[in-house]
């Protein structure tokens, strides 16, 4: 068995294997190691803070009666606009 090691930037859910023909129908063990990224934690924290701000602002909006069919109202508005 031989090892294939490579580094890549993950830009989609799929990774391309070079020399796929040599690997086709072979057993493989795939190991992906990713360094912890402090910036990612900061981004999540920032998104959470923004979400909390939005929720706080929505508290001041009037409540919508549960008997109102929001989808029907939206569809009617769309028919009028478009």
């Amino acid at each position: 068995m031989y090892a294939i090691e490579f580094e890549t930037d993950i830009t989609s859910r799929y990774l391309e294997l070079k020399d796929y023909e040599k690997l086709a129908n072979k057993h493989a063990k795939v190991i992906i190691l990713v360094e912890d990224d402090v910036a990612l934690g900061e981004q999540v924290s920032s998104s959470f803070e923004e979400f909390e701000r939005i929720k706080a602002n929505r508290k001041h909006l009037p409540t919508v009666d549960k008997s109102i069919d929001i989808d029907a109202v939206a569809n009617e508005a769309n028919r009028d606009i478009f």
Side-chain angles (χ1 to χ4, degrees), residues 36-66:
D36 281 345
D37 189 354
V38 175
L40 178 61
E42 292 171 0
Q43 179 182 358
V44 168
S45 177
S46 174
S47 296
F48 180 74
E49 290 170 4
E50 179 65 19
F51 179 66
E52 289 299 317
R53 278 194 295 276
I54 291 170
K55 281 184 4 183
N57 287 341
R58 291 197 53 82
K59 286 181 184 177
H60 305 294
L61 295 176
T63 58
V64 176
D65 187 339
K66 300 289 184 193

Side-chain angles (χ1 to χ4, degrees), residues 5-22:
E5 182 177 327
F6 62 94
E7 292 184 26
T8 187
D9 293 327
I10 298 174
T11 57
S12 76
R13 63 177 50 199
Y14 305 103
L15 294 175
E16 181 179 345
L17 297 174
K18 294 184 181 184
D19 300 324
Y20 165 77
E21 293 78 22
K22 292 180 184 177

Side-chain angles (χ1 to χ4, degrees), residues 64-70:
V64 176
D65 187 339
K66 300 289 184 193
S67 65
I68 296 176
D69 184 353
I70 298 296

